């Protein structure tokens, strides 16, 4: 059974790890993968038809915990403990929920102190007790009548006529005073872990098409020590078609992974594919996971050949019929998204899923002659 520390408006954590509000989805998944022997049976919940309208959820079924991420920025928005019998919980190092300590309303009052009067939802038959960045829900279906509140008398728990021994059904950790209106906060400094993240990615282009990318990058702790420079910095970096490996490494730093291509499923749609001489070396990608960008280098010249920028907004309306792309499943993984449709427009390929949302945008370009002077933001 997990033994977790509750920090209102911030996190739910263990001695070795912490789920912090504002944490990127990929970082939470990395924690789950690293501790898969302890945290088991994790479900990923999302909307297939409206993926940007509903939260992404990591459901830790064995531990009774849900991590709710904003679907657009993929940062942790709400931490929900929906089954308190599966975890131990403490606040400021003192347990308020264990197998020996029931999370009663009296225990919550003792552990967290006074707060504003709670709110009763008759439809749900739940009583919600709210602190800043923290809420507790009590189940009332076994009670004979709803709790009564007298606004002219004492404030706090004493003003609510609630049966003794009522226990918490759910607990929520979030930012602000209202769970319904909460938003995912900016990523905390503790989540950078030496990585850089893209605040925005713009396409550099001229009349002929895309020339490269301009990335606004966020980084933290650039000084001699984290405590000496504990703040987030924003810098801009440009990457052009024809840049060398050294140019990209200088601008963006080392990639998280280098991937060598084994096949090119779009090769048949290129001009005179039968005339292309097979290369003895494979083209390779620099994968920048925290930037959402992959950069393809030519295996012979080692110059930038193609981008793949994972964005989720529509940039154009191609007139030609799409090419159907089948992403095959590997032995250990399945492809949950099915076939996708690839539309070509101005040296760009838009990969569209069956729910009409864009999965990726691929930019193609020739090596630059003198393009820095003519580049403009798109």
């Amino acid at each position: 059974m997990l033994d977790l520390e509750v920090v209102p408006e911030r996190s739910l954590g263990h001695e070795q790890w912490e789920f912090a509000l504002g944490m990127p989805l990929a970082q939470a998944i990395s924690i789950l993968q690293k501790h898969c022997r302890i945290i088991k049976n994790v479900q990923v919940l999302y909307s297939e038809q409206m993926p940007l309208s509903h939260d992404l959820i990591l459901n830790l079924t064995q531990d009774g915990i849900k991590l709710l991420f904003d679907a657009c920025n993929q940062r942790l928005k709400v931490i929900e403990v929906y089954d308190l019998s599966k975890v131990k919980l403490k606040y400021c190092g003192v347990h308020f929920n264990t197998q020996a300590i029931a999370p009663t309303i009296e225990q919550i009052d003792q552990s967290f102190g006074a707060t504003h009067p709670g709110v009763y939802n008759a439809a749900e038959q739940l009583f919600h007790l709210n602190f800043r960045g923290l809420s507790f829900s009590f189940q009332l279906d076994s009670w004979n009548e709803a709790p009564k509140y007298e606004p002219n008398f004492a404030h706090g728990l004493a003003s609510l006529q609630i049966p003794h021994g009522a226990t918490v059904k759910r607990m929520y950790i979030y930012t602000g005073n209202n769970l319904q209106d909460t938003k995912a906060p900016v990523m905390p400094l503790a989540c950078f872990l030496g990585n850089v993240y893209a605040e925005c990615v713009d396409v550099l282009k001229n009349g002929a098409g895309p020339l490269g990318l301009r990335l606004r990058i966020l980084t933290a702790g650039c000084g001699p020590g984290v405590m000496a420079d504990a703040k987030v910095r924003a810098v801009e970096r440009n990457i052009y078609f024809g840049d060398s490996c050294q140019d990209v490494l200088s601008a963006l730093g080392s990639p998280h992974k280098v991937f060598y291509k084994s096949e090119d499923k779009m090769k048949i749609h290129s001009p005179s594919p039968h005339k292309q001489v097979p290369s003895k070396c494979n083209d390779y990608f620099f994968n920048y996971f925290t930037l959402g960008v992959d950069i393809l280098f030519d295996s012979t010249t080692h110059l930038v050949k193609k981008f793949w920028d994972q964005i989720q907004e529509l940039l154009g309306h191609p007139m030609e019929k799409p090419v159907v792309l089948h992403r095959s499943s590997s032995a250990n993984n399945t492809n949950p998204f099915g076939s996708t449709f690839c539309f070509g427009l101005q040296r760009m390929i838009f990969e569209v899923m069956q729910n009409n949302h864009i999965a990726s945008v691929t930019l193609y370009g020739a090596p630059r002659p003198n393009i820095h002077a003519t580049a403009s933001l798109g």
Side-chain angles (χ1 to χ4, degrees):
M1 181 179 289
L2 295 179
D3 191 351
L4 306 176
E5 177 80 22
V6 174
V7 183
E9 207 173 18
R10 198 188 86 176
S11 65
L12 182 68
H14 187 264
E15 293 179 352
Q16 300 179 2
W17 48 263
E18 179 183 56
F19 294 123
L21 297 176
M23 169 182 283
L25 173 65
Q27 194 170 123
I29 292 176
S30 178
I31 291 175
L32 296 174
Q33 291 175 330
K34 185 176 181 180
H35 300 279
C36 60
R37 293 185 178 181
I38 301 173
I39 306 175
K40 303 176 181 179
N41 302 327
V42 179
Q43 296 177 336
V44 181
L45 308 176
Y46 60 94
S47 171
E48 291 186 355
Q49 297 304 317
M50 302 180 66
L52 301 183
S53 300
H54 301 279
D55 292 333
L56 289 165
I57 300 175
L58 296 180
N59 184 16
L60 285 57
T61 58
Q62 177 179 278
D63 307 296
I65 299 172
K66 285 182 180 178
L67 306 176
L68 285 73
F69 294 82
D70 184 280
C72 294
N73 57 44
Q74 295 191 355
R75 295 198 303 268
L76 183 56
K77 182 172 72 173
V78 176
I79 302 170
E80 176 187 349
V81 181
Y82 62 86
D83 190 343
L84 277 73
S85 67
K86 296 182 177 181
V87 291
K88 296 179 182 179
L89 299 173
K90 54 189 174 183
Y91 173 63
C92 294
V94 180
H95 285 97
F96 65 90
N97 175 65
T98 67
Q99 292 177 324
I101 303 174
T104 63
I105 197 162
E106 292 80 15
Q107 181 64 52
I108 299 302
D109 187 23
Q110 177 182 340
S111 299
F112 294 90
T115 185
H116 297 288
V119 178
Y120 176 62
N121 188 314
E124 297 178 341
Q125 290 189 312
L126 289 176
F127 165 66
H128 303 286
L129 187 63
N130 303 315
F131 299 82
R132 181 172 179 83
L134 182 69
S135 291
F136 296 95
S137 298
F138 298 83
Q139 183 69 54
L140 308 185
D141 53 3
S142 61
W143 297 3
N144 294 325
E145 59 180 355
K148 297 178 180 178
Y149 168 55
E150 299 294 340
N152 297 325
F153 296 95
H155 294 284
L157 297 181
S159 63
L160 293 163
Q161 299 177 8
I162 302 175
H164 293 288
T167 58
V168 177
K169 182 180 181 181
R170 294 190 182 95
M171 182 190 74
Y172 302 90
I173 302 173
Y174 54 93
T175 301
N177 290 312
N178 192 326
L179 175 61
Q180 305 303 322
D181 298 332
T182 191
K183 298 182 182 300
V186 297
M187 188 167 60
L189 287 169
C191 289
F192 276 83
L193 300 176
N195 293 306
V196 294
Y197 290 82
E199 184 178 44
C200 64
V201 179
D202 294 312
V203 178
L204 295 165
K205 64 180 182 180
N206 59 15
L211 302 172
L213 296 176
R214 173 168 295 169
L215 299 94
R216 181 174 173 82
I217 297 173
L218 301 179
T219 182
C222 298
V226 175
M227 296 304 296
D229 191 14
K231 61 181 180 180
V232 176
R233 298 173 179 270
V235 295
E236 285 191 353
R237 294 289 186 266
N238 293 348
I239 302 295
Y240 296 91
F241 292 111
D243 278 354
S244 66
C245 291
Q246 291 77 10
D247 293 331
V248 175
L249 289 171
S250 176
L252 303 181
S254 298
H256 294 88
K257 186 177 180 181
V258 178
F259 175 77
Y260 289 86
K261 292 183 62 178
S262 59
E263 60 178 350
D264 188 351
K265 294 186 178 181
M266 302 299 290
K267 180 179 179 180
I268 192 172
H269 298 284
S270 61
S272 303
H274 60 283
K275 296 182 180 180
Q276 297 185 10
V277 179
S279 175
K280 295 182 180 179
C281 302
N282 294 329
D283 293 345
Y284 55 95
F285 284 99
F286 276 7
N287 304 126
Y288 292 93
F289 298 132
T290 59
L291 299 179
V293 174
D294 298 335
I295 299 176
L296 177 66
F297 290 90
D298 186 277
S299 61
T300 303
T301 64
H302 302 285
L303 302 179
V304 173
K305 184 177 179 180
K306 182 175 69 173
F307 299 100
W308 179 36
D309 176 24
Q310 294 179 326
I311 59 176
Q312 297 291 331
E313 58 186 32
L314 191 61
L315 301 179
H317 298 278
M319 301 300 294
E320 297 181 2
K321 292 184 178 181
V323 174
V324 180
L325 177 62
H326 300 281
R327 295 189 182 275
S328 59
S329 301
S330 65
N332 298 321
N333 298 284
T334 58
N335 175 19
F337 303 108
S339 301
T340 54
F341 302 94
C342 296
F343 296 85
L345 175 68
Q346 296 183 0
R347 295 210 314 261
M348 296 181 285
I349 294 179
F350 300 87
E351 183 185 4
V352 182
M353 296 183 291
Q354 296 181 18
N355 57 13
N356 291 326
H357 284 78
I358 290 181
S360 68
V361 177
T362 303
L363 311 180
Y364 288 89
R368 50 174 181 167
N370 289 308
I371 61 175
H372 287 86
T374 59
S376 62
L377 277 178

